[in-house]
Amino acid sequence: MVKKVLKFGGTSVGTTQRIHHVANIIKKEREIGNKIIAVVSAMAGKTKELISYSKNIDENFEKRELDVLLSSGEQVTCSLLAGALMKLNIEAKSWLNWQIPILTEGEHTNSRIINININKIDEYLNKGVAVIPGFQGISKDGDITTIGRGGSDATAVAIAKIFKADTCEIYTDVDGVYSSDPNKIPVAKKIDKISYDEMLEMASLGAKVMQSSSVQSAMLNEIEVYVKSSFKDVKGTKILNQNKISYEKVITGIAYTLDDSKITLQSVQDRPGVASSIFKPLYEKNIIVDMIVQNISADNLKTDVTFTVKRSDFNKTIDIMNNLKSNLNFEKLISNNKVSKLSVIGAGMITFPGVAYKMFDALSKKNI
Ligand code: ADP
Ligand code: ASP
Ligand code: MG
């Protein structure tokens, strides 16, 4: 008998029919005597729909209220799955974030889980399935919080850690982690085993199959995660420690984003303090800067600084940079809000020459 955390993403619980199917997956686990904690996402598209409701009320909807709204999506699937299990004569019970509680800290809509009270639920696992909503928590002041888009993965890993589960299985709509998004890149290949580091890179560079903070937490706590399909009963992908993998491949995966933007400040003074003056006001407006390129200056006096931000932050960033112009005295601002980022990932690459050449060669053959 083992203790398992099984997380079901949005498409896996996207309809009541899918929820019945998920209940059957859990039933099989119960029949062999496993203790099960099920973590659920909202139905696919629900969180997005709730966000659009809030924007219809106010483009800058207040974040505490947004968390109350967004957490409702997971409340629905939590109850429906507990009901579907009972329908199969499996004892089950749902708990919401504040009932457990799942304690979080940090800002509304982007909180972090810091503790989960396990006592009641751990005891309950001896007789039934605990169904827990992903993505939500409660602050120390008692406010409902959410932990960022795709956050149910992070809830699952946090629960696996705190309940000392034997495995954490992420059920989704693809049958594992692929070398690139299999829904967009038909030649992508399924990966049997991937290291935490590589998965973290893939996730943070655009592969949304796992949310990046959940991978980081799995890595720090050495929790083996298994990504598999709730639609097909086939072998999935194991995410584990690098030393448990023998590398035959140079490249593990290629990740990409399609929603970046790029800003260049031309002829900025090349002296200490200038870069911090550029990035401080972005930090103050909570804008995340991703890539930064600053070339060496030819004359030791002036240089160009290029950086990228998410396209959704582009207009705000341009305004901030224009406000800095008189102070920083740069010559010109060049920008492009239709930029994607392509990342080649693989631990095997460290000891293998020619990767950069092959990547640029492939791009040039397509005239990119
Ligand atoms: P869930 O709702 O189950 O959390 P997500 O939509 O968050 O599912 O993540 C699964 C999706 O991730 C897949 O449908 C796939 O399109 C996408 N994806 C992007 N990159 C990859 C990759 N490298 N391997 C597998 N899936 C990927
Ligand atoms: N429902 C949330 C979202 O869509 C969390 C999740 O699905 O993991 O972002
Ligand atoms: Mg997801």
Side-chain angles (χ1 to χ4, degrees):
M1 185 172 73
V2 295
K3 196 193 281 181
K4 287 188 172 186
V5 174
L6 308 181
K7 180 256 168 177
F8 298 92
T11 10
S12 303
V13 293
T15 60
T16 45
Q17 201 185 357
R18 294 303 312 162
I19 292 176
H20 278 304
H21 181 74
V22 163
N24 276 298
I25 294 178
I26 296 174
K27 183 178 180 202
K28 284 193 193 129
E29 295 284 349
R30 284 299 288 158
E31 281 169 354
I32 49 177
N34 291 335
K35 292 183 176 183
I36 302 298
I37 306 173
V39 176
V40 287
S41 289
M43 287 179 168
K46 191 39 121 181
T47 308
K48 206 169 154 199
E49 182 186 36
L50 294 170
I51 292 172
S52 76
Y53 289 161
S54 76
K55 289 198 184 298
N56 288 344
I57 299 287
D58 178 354
E59 190 57 36
N60 297 309
F61 199 77
E62 208 270 326
K63 286 194 167 170
R64 179 185 178 279
E65 296 310 322
L66 189 57
D67 276 348
V68 175
L69 178 68
L70 297 190
S71 65
S72 68
E74 271 72 8
Q75 177 161 350
V76 170
T77 44
C78 210
S79 145
L80 290 175
L81 180 58
L85 286 162
M86 287 188 257
K87 177 90 181 154
L88 294 175
N89 290 323
I90 307 285
E91 202 161 329
K93 191 170 167 182
S94 67
W95 273 272
L96 294 181
N97 49 29
W98 55 270
Q99 292 172 304
I100 302 173
I102 296 178
L103 198 66
T104 62
E105 66 176 15
E107 279 180 47
H108 276 291
T109 73
N110 201 18
S111 296
R112 278 176 310 280
I113 295 175
I114 50 171
N115 198 17
I116 301 174
N117 183 1
I118 73 164
N119 297 343
K120 279 180 285 186
I121 295 178
D122 215 30
E123 204 184 304
Y124 180 78
L125 295 182
N126 293 316
K127 55 177 190 171
V129 177
V131 187
I132 296 179
F135 182 52
Q136 48 177 265
I138 186 166
S139 72
K140 68 174 187 340
D141 300 328
D143 286 330
I144 291 177
T145 56
T146 62
I147 60 171
R149 294 303 308 273
S152 301
D153 294 336
T155 306
V157 172
I159 287 180
K161 173 192 162 195
I162 292 175
F163 282 80
K164 298 195 168 64
D166 297 282
T167 62
C168 179
E169 298 180 4
I170 305 290
Y171 280 86
T172 183
D173 56 358
V174 284
D175 53 11
V177 178
Y178 278 69
S179 54
S180 200
D181 185 344
N183 289 327
K184 304 271 167 55
I185 315 287
V187 294
K189 291 199 178 70
K190 188 154 102 187
I191 301 166
D192 292 335
K193 291 178 184 173
I194 184 168
S195 71
Y196 294 120
D197 302 79
E198 289 173 315
M199 190 64 237
L200 184 56
E201 283 199 33
M202 298 261 291
S204 53
L205 294 168
K208 77 166 196 167
V209 61
M210 281 290 291
Q211 190 239 24
S212 53
S213 78
S214 72
V215 184
Q216 193 173 29
S217 162
M219 175 162 84
L220 290 174
N221 299 292
E222 283 218 33
I223 295 164
E224 283 195 6
V225 176
Y226 195 38
V227 179
K228 61 200 290 193
S229 167
S230 69
F231 291 72
K232 284 194 261 172
D233 190 11
V234 293
K235 233 176 98 192
T237 300
K238 268 194 181 148
I239 308 172
L240 35 70
N241 214 315
Q242 192 155 316
N243 59 24
K244 296 190 179 160
I245 303 174
S246 63
Y247 283 97
E248 286 133 26
K249 286 183 272 98
V250 180
I251 301 297
T252 302
I254 296 177
Y256 61 89
T257 62
L258 297 172
D259 58 350
D260 281 299
S261 65
K262 181 176 80 169
I263 290 118
T264 298
L265 304 183
Q266 229 178 20
S267 282
V268 191
Q269 285 182 52
D270 188 16
R271 59 173 168 77
V274 170
S276 84
S277 314
I278 296 172
F279 296 117
K280 187 177 175 198
L282 296 177
Y283 151 70
E284 285 167 345
K285 291 281 180 223
N286 254 325
I287 295 172
I288 293 173
V289 177
D290 182 17
M291 303 174 75
I292 301 173
V293 179
Q294 182 188 323
N295 211 335
I296 52 161
S297 94
D299 57 5
N300 271 332
L301 297 173
K302 299 266 175 139
T303 183
D304 299 340
V305 177
T306 298
F307 60 92
T308 63
V309 296
K310 281 287 160 223
R311 195 169 300 154
S312 52
D313 286 328
F314 178 73
N315 289 337
K316 257 194 280 176
T317 305
I318 294 288
D319 288 345
I320 293 171
M321 291 303 120
N322 282 330
N323 283 338
L324 287 179
K325 192 164 188 336
S326 54
N327 212 356
L328 287 181
N329 236 338
F330 55 85
E331 226 167 79
K332 199 171 160 195
L333 188 152
I334 306 169
S335 64
N336 182 350
N337 72 350
K338 288 200 179 62
V339 177
S340 358
K341 179 176 61 175
L342 186 69
S343 311
V344 178
I345 294 141
M349 192 159 45
I350 300 166
T351 51
F352 207 89
V355 176
Y357 151 66
K358 283 184 189 156
M359 182 188 81
F360 285 110
D361 191 48
L363 290 172
S364 75
K365 284 185 175 135
K366 294 282 179 194
N367 244 332
I368 298 168

